[in-house]
């Protein structure tokens, strides 16, 4: 007998949800059934992000540091940074050098006396913000050009003393507030373009995940490139039933089992199977998470400090 010769099996959204419903002892019948299942599926992938590192969501990225700028936005779907280095001579095969940068906590960052000290960055604090936008009560006090680095606002008390704002379509970062002026403003952040803005324009607070580095990059040793490996969010289930989930094929059994458990909590016919489906989900998660891990040996190197 011959085999199929293919290894392309996958489940699109429709089939995945149907399989989960069948495990609860019911059938997918209405548009609302599909909508509530998509909602549960998105909550399930968020739960996975809280359970640990999902290897297929690790992505490498880089940020070219700017002299005098210590705050840099990360993609809004960033969950956490796993590793990072400072790269000098980026792209130069014979001279490219990756240098360790240490991750510190918010409390350690707060104790740094002068955060504007310049040099090669050796420490970074990752501020894990939500990525959401909040409309503030502050507005632009006067018209500004695309190049100014001090932004006058109507009332700075509505804004944090450092962070990101959005005016029209431009995102800016600022490092301090003096009176009603945002100072040390870096224009055109997060992939936007610096532009002129008129008085009374609405200011939106951007709660972007961001990297704070110390010392602030100088001009002498640069240019410096921040190379990082991040965990991103699993993509949403979406509304098109023919799309496939943003997971490797080996996690399909776990996703189906998890969705069946989630749906059983909401379906009257699923209550009798709730404990069984929960146990099945936990077993599938244990198998999937055990397989989806680094296979390399771990190496621990202590950091030793000597005092004279």
């Amino acid at each position: 007998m011959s085999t199929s010769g293919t290894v392309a099996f996958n489940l699109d959204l429709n089939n995945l949800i149907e399989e989960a419903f069948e495990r609860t002892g019911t059938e997918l019948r209405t548009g609302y059934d599909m909508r509530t299942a998509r909602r549960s599926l998105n909550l399930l992938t968020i739960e996975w992000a809280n359970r640990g590192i999902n290897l297929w969501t690790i992505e490498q990225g880089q940020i070219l540091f700017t002299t005098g700028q210590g705050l840099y936005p990360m993609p809004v779907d960033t969950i956490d940074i796993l590793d990072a280095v400072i790269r000098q001579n980026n792209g130069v095969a014979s001279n490219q050098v990756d240098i360790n940068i240490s991750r510190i906590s918010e409390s350690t960052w707060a104790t740094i006396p002068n955060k504007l000290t310049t040099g090669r960055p050796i420490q970074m604090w990752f501020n894990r913000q939500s990525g959401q936008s909040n409309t503030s009560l502050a507005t632009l006090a006067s018209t500004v050009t695309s190049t100014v680095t001090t932004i006058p606002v109507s009332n700075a008390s509505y804004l944090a003393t450092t962070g990101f704002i959005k005016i029209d379509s431009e995102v800016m970062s600022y490092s301090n507030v003096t009176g009603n002026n945002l100072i040390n403003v870096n224009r055109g952040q997060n992939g936007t373009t610096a532009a002129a803005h008129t008085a009374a324009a609405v200011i939106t607070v951007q709660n972007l995940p961001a990297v704070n580095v110390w010392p602030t990059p100088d001009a002498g040793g640069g240019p410096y490139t921040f190379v990082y490996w991040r965990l991103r969010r699993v993509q949403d289930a979406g509304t098109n039933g023919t799309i496939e989930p943003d997971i490797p094929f080996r996690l399909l059994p776990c996703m189906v089992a998890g969705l069946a458990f989630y749906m059983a909590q909401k379906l009257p016919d699923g209550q009798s199977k709730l404990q069984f489906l929960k146990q099945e989900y936990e077993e599938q998660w244990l198998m999937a998470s055990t397989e989806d891990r680094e296979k390399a040996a771990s190496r621990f190197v202590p950091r030793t400090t000597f005092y004279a």
Side-chain angles (χ1 to χ4, degrees):
M1 295 180 64
S2 61
T3 60
S4 67
T6 64
V7 286
F9 174 78
N10 206 335
L11 291 176
D12 61 23
L13 186 62
N14 283 331
N15 285 307
L16 191 149
I17 292 175
E18 285 181 354
E19 176 69 17
F21 264 85
E22 290 169 358
R23 294 191 183 194
T24 66
T26 58
E27 295 180 356
L28 177 65
R29 296 188 179 94
T30 68
Y32 177 76
D33 287 342
M34 176 65 76
R35 187 163 68 250
T36 188
R38 286 200 306 267
R39 183 168 65 244
S40 292
L41 193 58
N42 286 326
L43 290 171
L44 177 66
T45 57
I46 294 172
E47 178 200 323
W48 286 7
N50 291 329
R51 281 181 177 250
I53 297 173
N54 300 314
L55 293 186
W56 77 94
T57 63
I58 298 176
E59 291 184 348
Q60 182 179 343
Q62 58 185 33
I63 300 172
L64 179 62
F65 281 167
T66 300
T67 301
Q69 179 178 343
L71 175 64
Y72 298 87
M74 292 286 291
V76 294
D77 63 341
T78 300
I79 297 174
D80 204 352
I81 295 177
L82 298 180
D83 291 291
V85 295
I86 297 297
R87 179 168 294 172
Q88 293 179 285
N89 304 316
N90 192 14
V92 181
S94 59
N95 295 321
Q96 179 173 292
V97 178
D98 287 349
I99 305 171
N100 179 61
I101 182 170
S102 299
R103 180 169 177 170
I104 60 176
S105 66
E106 177 274 332
S107 58
T108 302
W109 172 263
T111 61
I112 297 176
N114 185 357
K115 297 175 179 59
L116 298 180
T117 299
T118 60
R120 173 176 62 80
I122 59 174
Q123 294 180 320
M124 68 96 173
W125 165 49
F126 177 48
N127 190 355
R128 300 177 64 184
Q129 290 296 310
S130 65
Q132 296 179 333
S133 300
N134 299 327
T135 301
S136 74
L137 297 177
T139 59
L140 194 59
S142 61
T143 298
V144 297
T145 67
S146 62
T147 57
V148 298
T149 57
T150 298
I151 302 294
V153 300
S154 60
N155 191 337
S157 64
Y158 296 125
L159 303 173
T161 55
T162 184
F164 297 91
I165 60 170
K166 186 176 183 180
I167 303 178
D168 298 326
S169 60
E170 180 189 356
V171 176
M172 314 173 191
S173 69
Y174 62 96
S175 62
N176 214 333
V177 176
T178 300
N180 284 325
N181 292 310
L182 310 183
I183 62 174
N184 297 326
V185 177
N186 297 289
R187 307 293 300 271
Q189 299 294 291
N190 204 32
T192 61
T193 302
H197 305 282
T198 58
V202 174
I203 295 176
T204 303
V205 176
Q206 300 289 103
N207 299 301
L208 300 175
V211 172
N212 298 262
V213 296
W214 185 88
T216 300
D218 64 356
Y224 304 107
T225 301
F226 181 71
V227 182
Y228 60 84
W229 289 261
R230 73 182 183 110
L231 282 178
R232 62 164 176 83
R233 287 184 58 172
V234 178
Q235 295 178 14
D236 298 338
T239 59
N240 185 346
T242 61
I243 63 172
E244 296 172 352
D246 178 29
I247 63 169
F249 75 94
R250 60 184 182 275
L251 271 84
L252 281 173
C254 182
M255 176 165 278
V256 170
L259 182 57
F261 169 60
Y262 270 47
M263 296 308 300
Q265 298 177 68
K266 300 190 286 186
L267 299 171
D269 293 340
Q271 296 297 312
S272 62
K273 293 187 175 183
L274 192 59
Q275 291 303 315
F276 167 75
L277 292 173
K278 176 178 174 58
Q279 180 180 348
E280 174 67 13
Y281 170 42
E282 293 297 340
E283 290 177 356
Q284 289 292 341
W285 171 258
L286 179 61
M287 286 191 290
S289 59
T290 301
E291 194 285 331
D292 192 60
R293 60 180 176 81
E294 290 282 5
K295 303 301 193 297
S298 297
R299 179 170 176 261
F300 298 92
V301 180
R303 178 171 292 180
T304 305
T305 302
F306 296 95
Y307 296 91

